[in-house]
């Protein structure tokens, strides 16, 4: 019986399980057969998205791997150990929820971080916006369904700055193309004249992603759901701490759609 090797494949942005010879590997493989994005190569290798791995980890995967580890039958790469360490750290953070952010400090805290730097006029948040932001910051992930015109983009950028504590932190926005210009305008008016958000398209995605620098980027749902582009985004988020935002998030309400699956896979890699 040989060992089970577990590694992270950057080309496919997946966990890869592989082995040689006989062993209790089918039980593990069968655990993931019902996940849409799992694919199998031959009789001794299969690929699983990290999000699917996490979803099945506690109830199904961990008992199998624990038994194999007790027998000394597992070899994990440093990449996998890093991903597991990040997941455990995130879980501990979720278990230790902070107090609600004091609404009265939000505007001053934003300005101390560079909010509206070099702008002719600093955007002042309304009472409702400050209330919403204080609640959003309480959760690791949240949605804002305020009425149109309520200033949700301003709230999102406030959340980004208060969460990251830096104007130079990475941000990835997935949005309909029709909203791109609004994001570009609001980034300059809220975060400062010198702040830009990059439109990611088919022509520049390789050059933008390959920099591995913390950038503010906006990409369409249809471009992000493309498997090849999704892999590039996953690898970027894996290496660069990035806040992920979905504009018009009702577009992922069908959990089986490619748009929803893309968001589902990106989420565990975001900060």
């Amino acid at each position: 019986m040989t060992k089970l090797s577990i590694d992270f494949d950057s080309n496919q942005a997946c966990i890869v399980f592989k082995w040689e010879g006989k062993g209790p590997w089918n039980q593990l493989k069968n655990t993931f057969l019902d996940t849409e994005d799992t694919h199998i190569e031959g009789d001794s290798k299969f690929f699983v998205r990290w999000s699917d791995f996490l979803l099945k980890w506690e109830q199904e995967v961990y008992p199998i791997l624990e038994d194999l580890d007790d027998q000394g039958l597992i070899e994990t790469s440093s990449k996998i150990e890093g991903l597991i360490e990040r997941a455990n750290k995130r879980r501990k953070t979720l278990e230790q929820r902070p107090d609600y952010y004091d609404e009265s400090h939000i505007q001053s805290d934003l300005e101390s971080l560079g909010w509206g730097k070099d702008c002719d006029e600093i955007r002042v948040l309304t009472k409702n916006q400050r209330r919403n932001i204080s609640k959003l910051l309480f959760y690791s992930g949240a949605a804002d369904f305020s009425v149109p015109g309520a200033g949700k983009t301003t709230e999102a950028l406030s959340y980004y700055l208060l969460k990251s504590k830096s104007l130079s932190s990475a941000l990835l926005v997935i949005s309909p193309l029709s909203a791109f210009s609004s994001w570009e305008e609001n980034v300059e008016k809220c975060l400062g004249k010198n702040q830009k958000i990059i439109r990611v398209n088919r022509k520049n995605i390789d050059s933008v992603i390959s920099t591995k620098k913390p950038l503010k980027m906006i990409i369409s749902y249809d471009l992000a759901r493309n498997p090849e582009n999704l892999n590039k985004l996953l690898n970027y988020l894996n290496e660069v701490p990035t806040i992920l935002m979905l504009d018009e998030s009702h577009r992922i309400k069908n959990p089986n759609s490619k748009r929803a699956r893309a968001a589902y896979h990106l989420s565990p890699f975001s900060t």
Side-chain angles (χ1 to χ4, degrees):
M1 187 182 297
T2 58
K3 291 187 177 182
L4 172 70
S5 169
I6 308 176
D7 200 356
F8 185 79
D9 187 303
S10 298
N11 291 328
Q12 303 196 47
C14 288
I15 297 179
V16 55
F17 297 85
K18 59 182 178 180
W19 60 90
E20 293 179 1
K22 295 181 179 180
W25 322 126
N26 283 336
Q27 182 184 4
L28 181 63
K29 183 169 65 175
N30 291 341
T31 302
F32 295 102
L33 290 180
D34 63 339
T35 58
E36 182 180 341
D37 297 286
T38 295
H39 59 281
I40 299 169
E41 285 188 8
D43 298 324
S44 60
K45 183 189 292 187
F46 67 97
F47 298 81
V48 177
R49 290 291 192 191
W50 178 241
S51 48
D52 290 325
F53 180 85
L54 289 178
L55 184 65
K56 292 176 175 286
W57 167 253
E58 192 165 334
Q59 298 297 325
E60 300 178 63
V61 178
Y62 179 75
I64 298 173
L65 294 184
E66 183 181 36
D67 182 57
L68 294 175
D69 192 44
D70 288 342
Q71 299 176 57
L73 298 177
I74 298 180
E75 291 181 345
T76 56
S77 71
S78 58
K79 290 181 180 180
I80 292 297
E81 291 172 357
L83 286 171
I84 292 175
E85 183 180 351
R86 182 195 296 182
N88 288 334
K89 183 178 180 181
R90 188 171 188 175
R91 175 175 289 188
K92 289 180 181 178
T93 301
L94 293 176
E95 292 172 351
Q96 300 172 347
R97 284 182 174 175
D99 296 329
Y100 277 112
Y101 204 104
D102 190 334
E103 295 178 34
S104 64
H105 295 165
I106 286 178
Q107 185 71 40
S108 59
D109 286 353
L110 283 169
E111 292 179 22
S112 70
L113 291 167
W115 179 263
K117 185 177 181 181
D118 298 325
C119 290
D120 296 333
E121 183 178 350
I122 293 178
R123 182 166 294 183
V124 177
L125 276 62
T126 66
K127 180 179 179 180
N128 286 340
Q129 287 175 324
R130 295 195 303 272
R131 178 204 62 201
N132 290 346
I133 294 164
S134 71
K135 293 180 178 179
L136 290 169
L137 288 166
F138 183 70
Y139 299 100
S140 63
D144 185 347
F145 293 105
S146 300
V147 297
K152 293 189 291 296
T153 305
T154 297
E155 291 178 12
L157 292 171
S158 301
Y159 173 91
Y160 153 78
L161 186 53
L162 292 170
K163 185 85 170 179
S164 67
K165 305 295 185 185
S166 172
L167 285 169
S168 61
S169 297
L171 171 66
L172 174 62
V173 179
I174 304 179
S175 165
L177 283 168
S178 58
F180 277 27
S181 58
S182 174
W183 278 94
E184 290 169 333
E185 179 182 348
N186 278 283
V187 163
E188 288 192 25
K189 289 186 176 180
C190 293
L191 301 183
K193 278 188 176 181
N194 295 325
Q195 297 297 313
K196 306 292 181 183
I197 189 165
I198 300 170
R199 291 192 181 206
V200 178
N201 53 50
R202 289 181 176 85
K203 293 182 178 180
N204 71 0
I205 186 168
D206 287 330
S207 60
V208 171
I209 296 297
S210 64
T211 64
K212 302 300 181 185
K213 295 179 180 179
L215 303 170
K216 298 176 189 67
M217 302 177 288
I218 187 166
I219 188 171
S220 70
Y221 280 97
D222 289 335
L223 197 60
R225 73 178 186 177
N226 174 278
E228 185 177 344
N229 294 332
L230 177 60
N231 289 346
K232 294 171 184 175
L233 293 172
L234 286 168
N235 280 312
Y236 178 86
L237 266 63
N238 187 33
E239 296 189 31
V240 183
T242 305
I243 290 178
L244 173 66
M245 294 185 176
L246 307 179
D247 195 3
E248 303 286 349
S249 59
H250 61 272
R251 291 172 180 253
I252 64 166
K253 64 182 179 181
N254 178 359
N256 297 317
S257 68
K258 290 183 178 180
R259 289 174 177 173
R261 293 290 295 176
Y264 164 69
H265 291 318
L266 288 165
S267 179
F269 287 93
S270 64
T271 56

